[in-house]
Amino acid sequence: MGTFIQQIINGLSLGSVYALIAVGYSLVYSILLFSNFAHGGFLVIGGYICYYTLNLMGANIWLAGFAALIGAGFCAVLTERLAYKPIRERTSVTLYLLIASMGMSIVIENLFVIIAGGRFRALPPVIPTAPVDLFGLATTSAFDLLSLAAAVVFLGGLQLFLTRTKWGLAIRAAAYDLRVAGLMGVNVGRLISIVFFVAGLLAAVGGIFLSVRYTLYPQLGAITIKAFVAAVIGGLGSLPGAVVGSLILGLAEMLTAGFLSSQLRDLVVFSLLVITLIVRPSGLFGKDIKEKV
Amino acid sequence: MTDSQTPLLSVRNLCVSYGAIKAVQNVSIDVFAGEIVSVIGANGAGKSTLMSAVMGDVRRESGDVFLDGKVLAKKSFQVVTQGLSLAPEGRKVFAPLTVFENLMMGAFPRNDRSGIDDDLKRVFTLFPRLEERREQYAGTLSGGEQQMLAIGRALMSRPRVLLLDEPSLGLAPIIIKEIFRELKLINEQGTTILLVEQNARQALLLSHRAYVLQTGHLIKEGLSADLLRDPDIEAAYLGGGHRKL
């Protein structure tokens, strides 16, 4: 029983990190309708900014985290301006954006191979990892609880931004129809920049927690494939779907690792993807728009 | 309307192409303050393209658009800020947003809280059904209600010229009548209207002046009352004119 509760908490913690990544990815998808494969790059950028501000500048985790979030946000906006905007302005074929994003993902990864080297780096012990006793029922680590808490805070913040602000409303409208949002007087270029900034920022939060969990290296962004799977299971373009899909995936991984074998983790993940695509291709919260024609 | 004043909205020699297809060629239209002007024409005549080009949603290949004598911006969001707004063809309401949120989207460029509240009241007075369905998702509204919402949403930016693209499309005659009655009222309250319509009879009955667009060219213009009696127009667009109005 103890192991079960423990694995549930571990699963929710891992799933919450996936959710931070999947939500940003899904947000970009909902506006521009393409899978941004450079999304993993944003979390690597966040991880390295955090690493270097901690190590070189001796900053505390709050300052380093802040720098990582803002830095990754700006890099995401820059990626959009450099690689996607010129394509967006010339064509409405989203396949080109997808290909450009694959290119950008390689560019970002190799930039870090050149700048930082390919080796694995451990973040200084800035996030407590001490074991925590949960009312005698199970033991978990402070790190798992913290990453869960951070995800709740940031996803809650995103929810407030989307439902309580003018630009949040515009983003929800644009997710339905970008052109008509433009006709309402929304500066579409600025809206897309805001979306990429938010996506980059959330990815950086995930990146910091992943660097602590798995160490930091230029290919860490490849883990985005899990967030991608989570987003598809939840329904591409749906934010609640991305969160639920991520939690399901985190739980599935940790329960497999706890009770079967940790080598079967990825097998279970991709089986879930295949089952979703067969049974319900639009995902759990897929867009089946209730609209009268 | 006297021709001596400067038009509020003036389209000069506008051309728009989609690749090799010339959708709008050398079109010039004037709309004076307080008027309702309609552009009628068959399906594919270039009416929607004309509206999209004025709004900056489609690139203007050549020609100019002036609002109050000043050159109109090229991007949609700037055009809206300058004082035009469009209720697009097919309504295009934001289905997953509520009626209220749709209307707030219409007011996006504005920051004057009390002014927005006034316009919200105005829209709810014009279309009481929208107030009843204020918190309902726009996608669940009937076609007529969606059209009312599209018009209300366009009014929320308090436009100097309201552009309407086929407001009668796909609606029952009784709903069309209701909507056109409200359009007349909106105009009487001081909003200048430019309307494009396939439903030529309704458009001519509502508007002061009209233009006839055919395969991208303007072929006729005049007072709507005169065009209603024009035998060519009657044969081509009014179904022979045997129907009682």
Side-chain angles (χ1 to χ4, degrees), chain A residues 60-90:
Chain A
N60 68 21
I61 180 63
W62 295 104
L63 190 62
F66 181 74
L69 267 51
I70 302 297
F74 273 115
C75 288
V77 174
L78 194 67
T79 305
E80 197 280 321
R81 293 276 169 91
L82 286 176
Y84 307 153
K85 193 169 182 237
I87 298 175
R88 276 198 292 117
E89 283 172 350
R90 280 171 184 77

Side-chain angles (χ1 to χ4, degrees), chain A residues 37 47 51 68 71 83 123 165 172 194 197-198 212 245 256 260 262 284 286:
Chain A
F37 282 103
Y51 176 84
L123 241 56
T165 69
R172 285 186 292 136
I194 291 174
F197 186 84
V198 170
V212 175
T256 312
L260 296 170
S262 93
L284 295 173

Side-chain angles (χ1 to χ4, degrees), chain A residues 166-167 169-170 172-174 176-177 179-188 289-292, chain B residues 55 57 76-77 80 86 92-97 101 104-106 108-111 139 141 153:
Chain A
K166 197 165 149 172
W167 279 98
L169 175 64
R172 285 186 292 136
Y176 181 71
D177 195 328
R179 275 185 83 175
V180 177
L183 284 173
M184 298 296 112
V186 178
N187 182 342
V188 168
I289 295 146
K290 295 174 221 71
E291 189 189 12
K292 284 194 180 178
Chain B
M55 287 304 293
D57 193 31
S76 296
F77 76 92
V80 176
L86 171 70
K92 298 284 165 63
V93 295
F94 299 109
L97 304 188
E101 287 175 328
M104 285 300 114
M105 275 309 291
F108 186 85
R110 301 172 62 180
N111 287 312
L141 300 180
R153 188 178 63 175

